[in-house]
Amino acid sequence: MQPELSDAELLALESDLFCTECDRPELCEGDDDRTSKRSTESCCTGQETVEDICSGNKQSSNQLNVSEQKSEVRPEGSGSKRRKQDERIPLERFGRKYLNVTDLSRQAWCEQQVVYGLELPHIEQLREEVPVVKAGSCLHLARGERVRELPVFGELEGIFLVGVVDELCYNSKGELELRELKTRGQRTYPSVAQRKSHQLQVNIYKLLFEAMIKGQLNKDTITHHLCLRTEQPFSSEILLHAQKVGFTISTFGDLLDLMLLNLRYAEIPNIDAMKIEYCYQADASLIGTKEVNFEEEWVKSELKHYYSFWRGQREAKGVDIEEAWKCRSCDFADICEWRQSKAEEATQKNQANRSK
Ligand code: SF4
């Protein structure tokens, strides 16, 4: 008897669908939007001096635990030196055919942190094991009753983006509403800086979703960016499952055609409202909800700025001095060259001021 396949399994791409002749690097394993959620939710909101941060005397206990383990996985040599020797642009260097929307929202928090996360994933994996982060993931999985975990994807300004919308539903006014759930370690709203990265995330989701339902996403765009072999036939298991659910398909290309046609002619409305729900992860209670405005010009200019790093047009940036408090909760604080250089700059400035 053939085993039952879930829709998720049907849609999971088999490795032989990827073009082996393509000279671009392979997809990063496990690099989906969901697994990219990081720990910025549980970080501080306080302001501190660079000296405080550099002395490390305000680290949380979680941070300390992670730091203790990190000392054993510290990389050899200078990261910036290694980067300069590698002439590939970041998209190629990190083997990215596409970016996750969360890559961009994390970039809005600290770009240098994103780079370290890709160069030294084992350090962030240590953080993933911290119980408070696990609690956040469980809460995401436990919510139901809506269209949930909806994948959205497409090309925006020349780069292919992939994301997962938490919830899509009709609100009491009959509007299609996008909801993003954020879990928090404290019963407070996040800082303005964090909220900006969340706003960017949901604004990008709306752009991707609406391009999909308006027929602006086409098969060539998908196959070009992801290097997929659309003529590759499905296995007998998948064909059987497709028949059971009423699909007449034999290749991945057929499935793409079907999906794009369905999206285009299903008469799905645009997203009218966007909300971010902040929940306290200890008991899943609602802290509050923030409405998000759609600001297309702002999103596009943010994308341009963040893409310029991925395209190798500029170096990665860490946080500005005014936002040095972000470093307190950062997994890479004790190896970060950006932070060290800013601390040296601040020390020199202080010395110069004292000698006047
Ligand atoms: S220590 Fe600060 S500047 Fe460096 S990666 Fe972390 S948050 Fe960014």
Side-chain angles (χ1 to χ4, degrees):
M1 202 170 116
Q2 294 280 6
E4 285 291 319
L5 284 174
S6 68
D7 289 348
E9 283 167 325
L10 174 66
L11 293 171
L13 304 179
E14 293 178 331
S15 58
D16 57 359
L17 292 174
F18 291 96
C19 178
T20 50
E21 287 143 25
C22 180
D23 58 2
R24 285 191 279 171
E26 290 301 302
L27 284 165
C28 298
E29 240 181 44
D31 195 15
D32 62 278
D33 199 62
R34 201 54 34 200
T35 53
S36 292
K37 301 258 183 199
R38 300 297 183 200
S39 54
T40 53
E41 296 309 302
S42 56
C43 90
C44 63
T45 53
Q47 301 282 331
E48 292 154 43
T49 66
V50 171
E51 282 80 3
D52 281 338
I53 291 153
C54 293
S55 67
N57 58 7
K58 291 192 179 180
Q59 286 177 318
S60 68
S61 57
N62 278 344
Q63 173 73 15
L64 285 172
N65 289 339
V66 171
S67 296
E68 281 164 18
Q69 297 172 70
K70 268 191 315 198
S71 61
E72 289 168 26
V73 287
R74 197 178 288 239
E76 282 175 29
S78 151
S80 58
K81 243 189 230 166
R82 272 185 283 116
R83 272 171 231 133
K84 275 176 194 153
Q85 283 164 2
D86 191 334
E87 287 177 356
R88 291 173 298 173
I89 62 169
L91 273 177
E92 291 167 351
R93 182 151 45 96
F94 297 120
R96 307 300 296 271
K97 289 187 172 77
Y98 63 91
L99 294 178
N100 295 308
V101 177
T102 45
D103 289 327
L104 299 169
S105 60
R106 293 178 63 217
Q107 230 178 317
W109 177 260
C110 176
E111 195 163 76
Q112 185 63 62
Q113 195 180 63
V114 174
V115 174
Y116 280 131
L118 291 165
E119 288 180 343
L120 309 164
H122 44 288
I123 290 184
E124 275 193 321
Q125 276 158 16
L126 294 175
R127 168 69 79 129
E128 298 284 359
E129 294 305 317
V130 175
V132 79
V133 180
K134 277 193 176 164
S137 319
C138 294
L139 191 52
H140 269 280
L141 293 173
R143 289 161 62 93
E145 299 168 17
R146 318 252 168 186
V147 177
R148 297 218 56 241
E149 310 281 330
L150 177 75
V152 285
F153 45 89
E155 184 191 273
L156 282 183
E157 309 290 312
I159 289 187
F160 202 83
L161 296 178
V162 173
V164 180
V165 173
D166 262 348
E167 285 188 13
L168 212 50
C169 61
Y170 288 98
N171 63 19
S172 55
K173 292 186 204 161
E175 300 167 325
L176 187 61
E177 187 170 285
L178 182 155
R179 292 183 186 169
E180 180 69 16
L181 171 70
K182 297 289 180 196
T183 49
R184 301 267 305 146
Q186 299 116 14
R187 210 188 285 275
T188 54
Y189 279 117
S191 62
V192 173
Q194 272 177 293
R195 292 217 301 272
K196 182 192 159 199
S197 73
H198 299 159
Q199 285 161 9
L200 179 67
Q201 186 179 349
V202 295
N203 267 265
I204 296 173
Y205 286 159
K206 179 175 160 73
L207 278 176
L208 289 173
F209 176 80
E210 293 185 356
M212 287 168 77
I213 59 166
K214 285 177 187 163
Q216 291 164 1
L217 175 65
N218 63 52
K219 192 162 115 183
D220 288 346
T221 305
I222 300 172
T223 53
H224 165 73
H225 282 284
L226 304 183
C227 286
L228 297 170
R229 294 164 63 184
T230 50
E231 74 284 2
Q232 188 75 17
F234 280 133
S235 69
S236 55
E237 277 176 38
I238 292 180
L239 290 178
L240 193 71
H241 181 76
Q243 270 172 14
K244 275 186 194 164
V245 294
F247 291 173
T248 312
I249 53 169
S250 56
T251 65
F252 178 64
D254 294 342
L255 182 64
L256 272 183
D257 285 335
L258 195 66
M259 178 197 75
L260 293 170
L261 273 175
N262 268 315
L263 280 169
R264 190 165 184 179
Y265 295 107
E267 296 187 3
I268 303 166
N270 285 345
I271 292 167
D272 301 298
M274 298 187 288
K275 282 184 181 165
I276 301 177
E277 293 179 351
Y278 292 101
C279 287
Y280 183 43
Q281 60 197 8
D283 59 7
S285 61
L286 184 70
I287 297 167
T289 302
K290 292 278 179 194
E291 292 195 6
V292 178
N293 292 328
F294 180 54
E295 297 175 65
E296 189 166 356
E297 288 312 308
W298 171 70
V299 186
K300 289 193 171 162
S301 80
E302 291 290 295
L303 285 178
K304 206 171 161 194
H305 171 69
Y306 295 127
Y307 283 180
S308 62
F309 158 70
W310 293 102
R311 288 175 166 143
Q313 292 158 348
R314 62 175 176 80
E315 293 292 319
K317 281 179 64 184
V319 299
D320 291 330
I321 287 278
E322 299 74 39
E323 294 194 323
W325 52 269
K326 289 180 179 175
C327 304
R328 194 183 77 166
S329 61
C330 177
D331 293 341
F332 307 102
D334 55 354
I335 57 159
C336 178
E337 292 167 15
W338 176 278
R339 176 176 150 271
Q340 281 160 14
S341 72
K342 288 288 163 190
E344 279 160 23
E345 263 175 43
T347 308
Q348 282 166 11
K349 212 170 162 187
N350 283 344
Q351 283 169 350
N353 284 342
R354 276 192 216 116
S355 63
K356 272 183 192 170

